[in-house]
């Protein structure tokens, strides 16, 4: 069959799952207005329409791959809309989180990294006031971090979660920022 336009949605989704590029093109054509509409709401100075549209297309493909064709409660259109929106929201949150973390602490984080990743630790260790402000857990986290360990490795070594390590480093950087 050459014309995918005549296929019903379930047949089209099955063909997409069988890796048919033409079937996905038809699905994209059918849901293009939805993708355009959702994508345009996520444009920022650092996230263009093309990037949003591209990520929305990926979400549409994943929706086609994971949609339960046997259920009747949620239409594919609604499911795709939710998948697309969730993906774009997730990307925007990551973007926001990264910009929040990097902006105020970039200089300080570079100093901490530079201090622990080669040169000498004296810059930081000489400041007894900074060290005295840290809890024993924060000192352990800082020592492991400056030794080049990842958050995961630090968490495993100290029997803590990666989030706990991240929070400790945030507190350390806040204290360093106030004291240096």
């Amino acid at each position: 069959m050459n014309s995918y336009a005549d296929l019903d949605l379930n047949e089209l989704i099955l063909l997409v799952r069988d890796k048919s590029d033409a079937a996905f093109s038809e699905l994209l054509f059918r849901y293009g207005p939805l993708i355009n509409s959702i994508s345009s709401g996520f444009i920022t100075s650092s996230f263009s329409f093309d990037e949003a549209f591209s990520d929305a297309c990926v979400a549409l493909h994943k929706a086609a791959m994971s949609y339960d064709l046997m259920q009747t409660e949620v239409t594919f259109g609604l499911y795709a809309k939710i998948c697309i929106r969730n993906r774009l929201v997730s990307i925007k949150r990551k973007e926001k989180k990264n910009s929040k973390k990097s902006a105020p602490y970039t200089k300080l984080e570079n100093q901490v990294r530079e201090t622990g990743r080669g040169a000498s630790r004296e810059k930081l260790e000489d400041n007894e006031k900074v060290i005295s402000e840290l809890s024993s857990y924060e000192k352990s986290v800082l020592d492991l971090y400056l030794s080049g360990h990842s958050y995961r490795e630090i968490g495993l070594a100290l029997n803590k979660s990666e989030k706990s390590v991240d929070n400790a480093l945030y507190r350390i950087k806040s204290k360093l920022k106030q004291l240096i």
Side-chain angles (χ1 to χ4, degrees), residues 77-99:
L78 178 58
Y79 182 72
K81 180 179 180 179
I82 292 168
C83 290
I84 293 166
R85 188 176 184 294
N86 286 349
R87 180 176 177 93
L88 294 176
V89 165
S90 178
I91 290 168
K92 196 161 188 165
R93 282 183 183 154
K94 284 179 187 175
E95 175 186 292
K96 189 174 182 180
K97 181 180 176 185
N98 289 340
S99 69

Side-chain angles (χ1 to χ4, degrees), residues 77-142:
L78 178 58
Y79 182 72
K81 180 179 180 179
I82 292 168
C83 290
I84 293 166
R85 188 176 184 294
N86 286 349
R87 180 176 177 93
L88 294 176
V89 165
S90 178
I91 290 168
K92 196 161 188 165
R93 282 183 183 154
K94 284 179 187 175
E95 175 186 292
K96 189 174 182 180
K97 181 180 176 185
N98 289 340
S99 69
K100 273 187 177 180
K101 275 190 172 181
S102 63
Y105 295 104
T106 301
K107 184 178 177 184
L108 181 59
E109 193 166 345
N110 288 340
Q111 181 182 358
V112 169
R113 282 203 174 120
E114 172 189 308
T115 305
R117 303 272 204 259
S120 71
R121 290 187 179 181
E122 282 100 24
K123 268 198 244 177
L124 190 58
E125 291 175 349
D126 282 347
N127 193 335
E128 292 176 13
K129 186 175 182 184
V130 172
I131 300 299
S132 69
E133 290 289 321
L134 302 178
S135 70
S136 60
Y137 174 63
E138 290 169 338
K139 287 176 189 175
S140 299
V141 168
L142 181 60

Side-chain angles (χ1 to χ4, degrees), residues 48-63:
S48 70
F49 175 80
D50 290 340
E51 291 169 316
F53 185 85
S54 176
D55 283 312
C57 290
V58 169
L60 178 67
H61 188 269
K62 286 185 176 185

